[in-house]
Amino acid sequence: IRMYGYNSQIPGPLIKVNQGETIYVNVTNNLDMETTVHWHGIRLKNEFDGVPMTTQEVIKPENSFLYELTFPDAGIYWYHPHVREDYQQELGLYGNIFVIPKDDDYYNKVNREEFIFLDDIQLTGKDITPVYKDKINQVLMGRFGNAMLINGKEKYDMTVKKGEVIRFYLTNAANTRLFNFSIENTKLKIIGSDGGNYEKEFFADSVIISPSERSVVEVLFDEPGEYDIFHVNPDNAYTLGKVKVLNDNTDADYSQQFL
């Protein structure tokens, strides 16, 4: 299946920076159509925001553009095209930016962090339902897919130890679909979203994430076994992947602060 990818990977490279830093990202357009990169949610200079004909000119094929990015706010952000998202983003152009907070106590202590892109894609048979460069054949930003994806895969699997607390940074890269994310037999501690950490954390069975939205949740896996990752809507329950919890005890126990 022919798809696109920043640096030939889906999702694109995870960019980790310290809060307050400035970096430069050189984007070369090797596509067969115009593009830009929009740095979603970041407060930055207007000329680097990546909106064509508004903040910058499009990057034509075989041309490059140097973005200057400063990161005043901690949190999880993402980047994607702002030209024909129904085509370019649908085919895999998206990636995360994690801004490491300058305050050591900004986040809770956890055993591990996982960066998760939720997405869907529409297949006809074993190929992508056609999208066209010269016309839009479905409404506005895209279409509902019939194959659910985590980080570009139909099945996402991870292994943790008993007692580990995992922080998930969730981003919805779908053009149209809302995701109702949950993990079987666990509680999600909702600690933040687009604008950074919440003033008060809370527990929920699931979290609903709209297109382009981010959510930060923590999960304690206190019993060994296998736990399915779900997206559930009124019509269907989709299994997105699986978490396997080993019977080995964690090396660092953060379970008490989770409760």
Side-chain angles (χ1 to χ4, degrees):
I1 293 177
R2 179 177 183 259
M3 298 188 69
Y4 292 153
Y6 290 118
N7 284 16
S8 300
Q9 61 189 69
I10 302 174
L14 170 64
I15 300 174
K16 285 188 176 183
V17 297
N18 293 313
Q19 185 179 359
E21 277 188 326
T22 297
I23 67 170
Y24 296 86
V25 180
N26 188 55
V27 176
T28 299
N29 182 6
N30 292 316
L31 307 179
D32 52 2
M33 60 190 304
E34 299 171 341
T35 193
T36 64
V37 180
H38 173 61
W39 310 92
H40 196 112
I42 297 168
R43 294 189 292 139
L44 76 174
K45 293 179 180 178
N46 195 52
E47 60 264 37
F48 301 116
D49 193 46
V51 180
M53 311 309 294
T54 301
T55 63
Q56 74 166 94
E57 297 295 326
V58 294
I59 309 172
K60 296 185 179 296
E62 300 182 5
N63 281 258
S64 298
F65 186 84
L66 184 66
Y67 289 92
E68 177 188 322
L69 309 174
T70 300
F71 302 92
D73 308 302
I76 186 70
Y77 305 94
W78 70 302
Y79 56 94
H80 60 86
H82 233 299
V83 175
R84 287 295 304 274
E85 293 100 313
D86 66 302
Y87 188 110
Q88 297 182 17
Q89 187 176 305
E90 175 73 4
L91 295 184
L93 288 181
Y94 50 79
N96 268 141
I97 305 163
F98 180 53
V99 183
I100 302 166
K102 59 184 178 183
D103 297 328
D104 292 338
D105 60 352
Y106 186 84
Y107 289 117
N108 303 317
K109 298 291 185 183
V110 295
N111 297 98
R112 202 160 96 210
E113 296 178 315
E114 290 288 321
F115 297 87
I116 298 292
F117 265 106
L118 303 168
D119 196 7
D120 65 0
I121 198 161
Q122 191 180 107
L123 301 178
T124 300
K126 294 184 178 181
D127 206 347
I128 296 171
T129 304
V131 289
Y132 302 97
K133 291 187 295 182
D134 56 345
K135 64 180 179 180
I136 298 173
N137 62 334
Q138 297 198 39
V139 298
L140 197 60
M141 292 294 293
R143 52 199 181 172
F144 285 101
N146 52 13
M148 306 299 119
L149 305 175
I150 287 186
N151 292 350
K153 299 178 180 179
E154 285 193 84
K155 294 296 182 183
Y156 174 84
D157 296 311
M158 63 177 294
T159 301
V160 304
K161 293 181 180 180
K162 176 184 174 183
E164 284 193 323
V165 179
I166 309 298
R167 181 158 52 244
F168 294 91
Y169 298 92
L170 307 172
T171 304
N172 184 355
N175 295 78
T176 304
R177 181 181 299 276
L178 280 73
F179 277 93
N180 183 20
F181 178 92
S182 63
I183 301 178
E184 181 182 14
N185 294 328
T186 68
K187 287 286 187 182
L188 307 181
K189 181 192 274 190
I190 316 298
I191 70 166
S193 65
D194 299 2
N197 274 8
Y198 291 144
E199 183 178 359
K200 293 184 178 180
E201 302 167 345
F202 61 95
F203 287 94
D205 294 325
S206 67
V207 59
I208 295 176
I209 309 171
S210 62
S212 295
E213 190 177 12
R214 285 86 65 211
S215 187
V216 186
V217 306
E218 295 172 354
V219 181
L220 168 64
F221 296 98
D222 55 355
E223 294 293 337
E226 294 188 347
Y227 299 81
D228 286 332
I229 303 171
F230 289 121
H231 159 55
V232 179
N233 64 29
D235 297 322
N236 292 292
Y238 300 91
T239 302
L240 307 178
K242 189 182 298 291
V243 180
K244 183 177 182 180
V245 182
L246 305 177
N247 205 19
D248 302 334
N249 289 323
T250 178
D251 299 326
D253 187 355
Y254 300 118
S255 59
Q256 290 305 308
Q257 72 170 23
F258 179 84
L259 302 175

